[in-house]
Amino acid sequence: PTTQTEKLKWLRRHDRESGDLYGMLPLIKGMPVALTDHVDRNPTVNLLRGRIGYIHSWVAASGEDSKPVNGRRKLKKLPRIVFVKFPGAEWQIPGVDETGLYPIVPRKSAWFLDKGRKSPMLKITRRQLPLAPAFAVTAHAAQGQTLCAAIVDLQIGRGSSPLSSYVAIT
């Protein structure tokens, strides 16, 4: 009787506890997303973990029968492909009309629920897109990136240092 509640608990687990894949991922055209894994290491494409792009479109799974309600659609199945636009990219994928548009496909990742045991046995697998919402990034995640604009919070709170603020503003 508590299956639905238990399922929601699993979907809300932190991605670090779930094979680095989100349980639920909103898909909104134009939404900034960060790659959570290396997608294409080709030096001309260079789509590595942390790279920011924007959701362009997606291809629904076969048999997807969800209907829009108040302008929103809650997909019942994971999309087959999500196209992400990477601004400033000069490469073009064969078969894709637009420059900087890359097809991201779902991935499987596994982890052990009892990873602290000597012989872990409770293996769990999740299938999800290797994307995360990217409305904000930490100073360390932004290192090395060229940003056209940034808002930096220089508040030095518990657990941070002046060095962290220096990293943020540089």
Side-chain angles (χ1 to χ4, degrees), residues 22-28 31 33 55 78 82 128-133:
Y22 277 72
M24 291 184 274
L25 178 70
L27 292 178
I28 302 163
M31 181 177 100
V33 290
I55 292 182
L78 197 57
V82 171
Q128 181 59 278
L129 297 156
L131 299 171

Side-chain angles (χ1 to χ4, degrees), residues 81-167:
I81 301 170
V82 171
F83 290 96
V84 177
K85 175 75 173 172
F86 292 94
E90 296 178 6
W91 43 263
Q92 188 169 355
I93 301 299
V96 177
D97 297 339
E98 204 171 319
T99 304
L101 194 59
Y102 198 92
I104 305 290
V105 295
R107 293 191 172 177
K108 275 188 180 178
S109 187
W111 71 95
F112 287 91
L113 191 58
D114 57 347
K115 65 181 176 185
R117 290 178 61 174
K118 187 175 180 179
S119 300
M121 298 185 310
L122 300 174
K123 184 177 182 180
I124 299 181
T125 304
R126 175 176 279 170
R127 192 167 166 266
Q128 181 59 278
L129 297 156
L131 299 171
F135 292 105
V137 294
T138 64
H140 286 80
Q143 266 187 301
Q145 293 186 23
T146 301
L147 305 173
C148 59
I151 297 173
V152 179
D153 182 3
L154 295 178
Q155 192 75 2
I156 299 176
R158 197 181 83 190
S160 63
S161 69
L163 184 58
S164 299
S165 298
Y166 176 77
V167 168

Side-chain angles (χ1 to χ4, degrees), residues 5-116:
T5 306
E6 293 299 317
K7 185 177 180 181
L8 284 174
K9 281 184 193 175
W10 277 100
L11 290 173
R12 290 183 177 137
R13 289 181 73 95
H14 193 283
D15 61 304
R16 292 286 173 211
E17 298 174 349
S18 307
D20 291 325
L21 295 174
Y22 277 72
M24 291 184 274
L25 178 70
L27 292 178
I28 302 163
K29 289 182 181 181
M31 181 177 100
V33 290
L35 298 173
T36 60
D37 200 2
H38 300 322
V39 173
D40 193 333
R41 294 175 189 246
N42 180 329
T44 58
V45 178
N46 206 29
L47 294 180
L48 305 177
R49 183 179 327 126
R51 178 95 183 254
I52 306 288
Y54 297 87
I55 292 182
H56 178 274
S57 57
W58 56 87
V59 177
S62 57
E64 176 64 54
D65 61 353
S66 61
K67 305 284 184 230
V69 176
N70 297 329
R72 294 181 180 173
R73 182 176 175 189
K74 195 173 193 177
L75 299 175
K76 295 178 183 177
K77 297 181 179 185
L78 197 57
R80 287 187 1 222
I81 301 170
V82 171
F83 290 96
V84 177
K85 175 75 173 172
F86 292 94
E90 296 178 6
W91 43 263
Q92 188 169 355
I93 301 299
V96 177
D97 297 339
E98 204 171 319
T99 304
L101 194 59
Y102 198 92
I104 305 290
V105 295
R107 293 191 172 177
K108 275 188 180 178
S109 187
W111 71 95
F112 287 91
L113 191 58
D114 57 347
K115 65 181 176 185

